[in-house]
Amino acid sequence: MHTYSQFKVFTFLVPILALLSSCKNEFKSNDYVAYFGGEIVNPNSSYVLFCKDNEVIDSIKLDKNNRFFVQFDSLAPGLYTFKHEPEYQYVYFDKNDSLMVRVNTRDFDNSLIFCGRGDQKNNFLIEQYLKTEKDKNAIFGAFDKDIDEFTKTVDSSYQLATTFYNTKKQELNWSDEFDVYAKAALDFPYYSRRELYPTIHKMRTGNDVFEKIPQNYYDFRKKVDCNNAALSDFSPFVMYLSHMLNNMGAINYHNHYTEVDLALKTNINKMNIADTLIKNEKVKNTILNNIAFTYLLEDQNMVNNQTFLATYHKISTDKSQKNEITKIGNAIQLLKKSKVLPNVVLLDTNGKEVHSSSFTNKKTVIFFWTANAVSHFEAVHKKVLDFQKKHPDYQFVGINLNDTQAEWKGIMSKYKFKGITELRCADFEDLKSKWVITKIHRTIILDDKGLIKNAFTNIFELNFEDELR
């Protein structure tokens, strides 16, 4: 599958791997020296972040050939992540591993391959991930089937994945510490599918099967250690716990609550269940943050947000100033209707600064795009051109989020979007924190004084045009 990529990686890595090989005899049994490096093809920025537990350990600069390399004098064995925004992937280090990676941002996960000491187990993780993604697409239709057919399909897929896992485990003879992640990468996507079945089945078919679920359907939950701190930042584990809590915390009193109030009560219920079920603080805080992050970006009822956050702060023990949920909660408060949109610095095609506070002379629609999502880029501009004809009293501002100035100008030169003001984000982290931008589909509407009309809408929503009237 990776033959061509492997050849290209090999030609790049030979000099560095030779260096690593010449050093391997110098390692002492009690040191933890490790190396990490590689090449980023079509980079989005000039650096790679190396992280542990969502904390940045090192920011590694790319050289003129888009390559990076770092030596860690002491690196504890375990699971890490490397990030090249907006993408990331996991990397596992055993003692004295020396890992190199090559990845193309145009197809991040599919192009990624490891080489060096410790490469085989890391290539297993990425291959297992890709198999899971492929299976997810292949068996999606099974959610339409009755529960027996669905179970048969996902169980068959799980058995094939288990065979692959067992073969690799025997072949590579990896450590028990690494097996925690290898087994989690196998099990939790399968568990998640079973958790998701009742909800997706009802969504796709209209049939409510919650009452028809066999008594032993959720027996796999007995195998799950909800307090496994080693997995607290491993996506398959966190996603599974979130799906499980969605099921356990669902409140179906549609006749008594509005949809907004139902969402509030359901998410508070999920947090209370997590508080009861999960005793490990690290895992609990991760799951609470996941619940809060999702809820706060979906429900923009400010009164409900305050009620939700009061419960969150009561249960969560994450009191650090770096707490992202606190930051999001505070930022959302500044995005209320009739407030001034917090100012951010943008750039025009000449590199000149444009302040968002200048959008005051006309009613404004702000939308976002990136070259990494070409289909969205074209679709959103098509929508805007249509709305522009119907609502000439609005100015439409397209903001490119994370491409370089040269890439952005290159893309814009290929298209003609007459009448749309095109700008580029100068500092994505600043924009993200002030405007709470986590989804590319997000749209912001301002009135003619630059005051917020709706900071949390979506130009693709069916009733979006009503917001412009």
Side-chain angles (χ1 to χ4, degrees):
M1 181 171 75
H2 296 296
T3 306
Y4 179 63
S5 294
Q6 283 175 325
F7 173 75
K8 293 184 74 176
V9 165
F10 181 74
T11 59
F12 159 55
L13 295 178
V14 165
I16 296 178
L17 289 179
L19 170 64
L20 298 181
S21 297
S22 68
C23 295
K24 67 181 180 181
N25 293 327
E26 298 176 16
F27 289 133
K28 299 176 182 178
S29 61
N30 62 346
D31 72 27
Y32 287 86
V33 173
Y35 299 89
F36 183 55
E39 179 183 7
I40 307 293
V41 181
N42 299 313
N44 298 319
S45 65
S46 60
Y47 57 89
V48 170
L49 298 179
F50 188 74
C51 310
K52 177 71 172 175
D53 298 335
N54 277 326
E55 293 288 331
V56 176
I57 295 175
D58 203 348
S59 179
I60 314 168
K61 190 83 173 172
L62 298 182
D63 66 17
K64 64 181 181 180
N65 296 312
N66 299 326
R67 297 169 182 172
F68 65 96
F69 185 76
V70 64
Q71 173 184 322
F72 297 104
D73 293 331
S74 181
L75 189 70
L79 189 73
Y80 296 81
T81 57
F82 68 95
K83 298 181 180 181
H84 186 71
E85 299 288 3
E87 304 283 358
Y88 79 95
Q89 198 46 267
Y90 296 102
V91 55
Y92 187 91
F93 276 84
D94 274 320
K95 185 178 179 182
N96 299 144
D97 274 351
S98 302
L99 287 163
M100 308 299 291
V101 64
R102 186 180 190 275
V103 62
N104 189 326
T105 63
R106 296 291 184 258
D107 193 8
F108 195 90
D109 295 320
N110 282 292
S111 68
L112 193 156
I113 187 167
F114 291 94
C115 192
R117 187 185 299 115
D119 62 342
Q120 290 183 307
K121 57 182 177 288
N122 281 287
N123 283 327
F124 165 79
L125 277 184
I126 190 64
E127 191 168 358
Q128 179 63 54
Y129 169 79
L130 293 173
K131 283 179 176 290
T132 298
E133 289 298 297
K134 184 178 179 181
D135 285 350
K136 182 168 66 176
N137 295 328
I139 68 174
F140 192 67
F143 285 95
D144 293 349
K145 308 296 184 181
D146 63 38
I147 195 164
D148 290 336
E149 280 296 311
F150 169 79
T151 303
K152 182 180 178 181
T153 300
V154 295
D155 282 358
S156 175
S157 174
Y158 178 60
Q159 287 303 317
L160 289 173
T162 301
T163 299
F164 174 68
Y165 158 81
N166 286 330
T167 300
K168 287 295 184 180
K169 182 180 180 181
Q170 183 175 9
E171 176 187 325
L172 302 180
N173 192 30
W174 54 57
S175 66
D176 291 341
E177 290 77 13
F178 174 75
D179 192 56
V180 170
Y181 301 100
K183 191 71 163 64
L186 166 71
D187 290 340
F188 288 112
Y190 166 68
Y191 297 162
S192 288
R193 290 167 188 166
R194 292 185 68 110
E195 294 284 357
L196 284 166
Y197 172 73
T199 302
I200 294 181
H201 183 78
K202 183 178 180 180
M203 189 184 304
R204 286 170 62 89
T205 68
N207 297 322
D208 190 339
V209 296
F210 282 92
E211 301 299 324
K212 301 176 184 177
I213 298 293
Q215 192 170 3
N216 65 348
Y217 180 80
Y218 294 109
D219 279 357
F220 59 86
R221 289 177 178 172
K222 299 173 184 176
K223 304 176 185 177
V224 178
D225 177 8
C226 294
N227 293 289
N228 192 336
L231 294 173
S232 61
D233 289 297
F234 194 47
S235 179
F237 175 71
V238 174
M239 289 180 65
Y240 168 72
L241 290 185
S242 298
H243 295 319
M244 181 188 73
L245 289 168
N246 283 341
N247 272 349
M248 298 175 73
I251 299 174
N252 296 309
Y253 303 132
H254 296 287
N255 295 330
H256 302 285
Y257 298 117
T258 65
E259 186 175 341
V260 171
D261 288 339
L262 181 63
L264 172 65
K265 292 184 179 295
T266 296
N267 280 279
I268 286 179
N269 196 33
K270 283 157 59 175
M271 288 196 294
N272 286 325
I273 293 172
D275 188 35
T276 301
L277 195 64
I278 305 171
K279 301 305 178 186
N280 181 277
E281 284 192 7
K282 187 177 181 183
V283 177
K284 183 189 294 187
N285 286 337
T286 297
I287 298 304
L288 290 174
N289 286 350
N290 187 272
I291 295 170
F293 186 80
T294 303
Y295 173 75
L296 289 172
L297 296 179
E298 293 296 337
D299 180 11
Q300 296 315 318
N301 180 296
M302 296 301 172
V303 175
N304 283 359
N305 280 350
Q306 292 308 299
T307 303
F308 175 87
L309 285 170
T311 303
Y312 167 82
H313 287 301
K314 180 181 177 182
I315 297 174
S316 174
T317 59
D318 182 1
K319 309 301 181 186
S320 71
Q321 291 184 344
K322 295 182 179 179
N323 188 327
E324 288 298 317
I325 302 306
T326 299
K327 291 180 183 178
I328 290 171
N330 293 337
I332 286 174
Q333 289 301 304
L334 297 176
L335 296 171
K336 288 181 180 179
K337 184 177 180 179
S338 298
K339 280 187 172 287
V340 175
L341 183 68
N343 184 57
V344 300
V345 178
L346 305 166
L347 300 173
D348 65 15
T349 52
N350 296 316
K352 182 181 177 181
E353 289 188 357
V354 176
H355 290 257
S356 63
S357 55
S358 65
F359 303 151
T360 56
N361 62 326
K362 198 174 184 180
K363 291 185 284 188
T364 305
V365 171
I366 302 171
F367 63 97
F368 305 90
W369 63 275
T370 171
N372 289 332
V374 176
S375 58
H376 169 264
F377 160 72
E378 293 177 344
V380 72
H381 278 84
K382 184 178 180 180
K383 274 277 188 185
V384 166
L385 290 172
D386 183 48
F387 285 133
Q388 191 180 51
K389 295 175 185 176
K390 299 177 183 178
H391 301 276
D393 52 329
Y394 276 87
Q395 63 178 344
F396 291 84
V397 181
I399 298 179
N400 177 273
L401 288 178
N402 58 4
D403 296 306
T404 65
Q405 186 80 358
E407 288 171 335
W408 173 56
K409 290 177 69 174
I411 294 167
M412 297 312 304
S413 68
K414 300 175 184 177
Y415 295 85
K416 300 297 180 185
F417 299 123
K418 187 177 180 180
I420 299 176
T421 301
E422 298 286 354
L423 299 170
R424 187 175 75 84
C425 172
D427 184 342
F428 178 66
E429 289 303 317
D430 182 60
L431 182 144
K432 184 173 72 171
S433 64
K434 288 180 178 176
W435 292 0
V436 198
I437 300 297
T438 59
K439 298 178 180 178
I440 200 170
H441 293 89
R442 174 84 167 280
T443 309
I444 298 172
I445 304 176
L446 307 179
D447 65 19
D448 58 1
K449 296 177 182 178
L451 302 180
I452 295 169
K453 189 174 181 181
N454 190 341
F456 295 92
T457 186
N458 182 344
I459 205 166
F460 292 102
E461 288 181 357
L462 291 176
N463 62 346
F464 176 78
E465 194 168 4
D466 295 339
E467 305 257 18
L468 304 181
R469 296 190 176 101

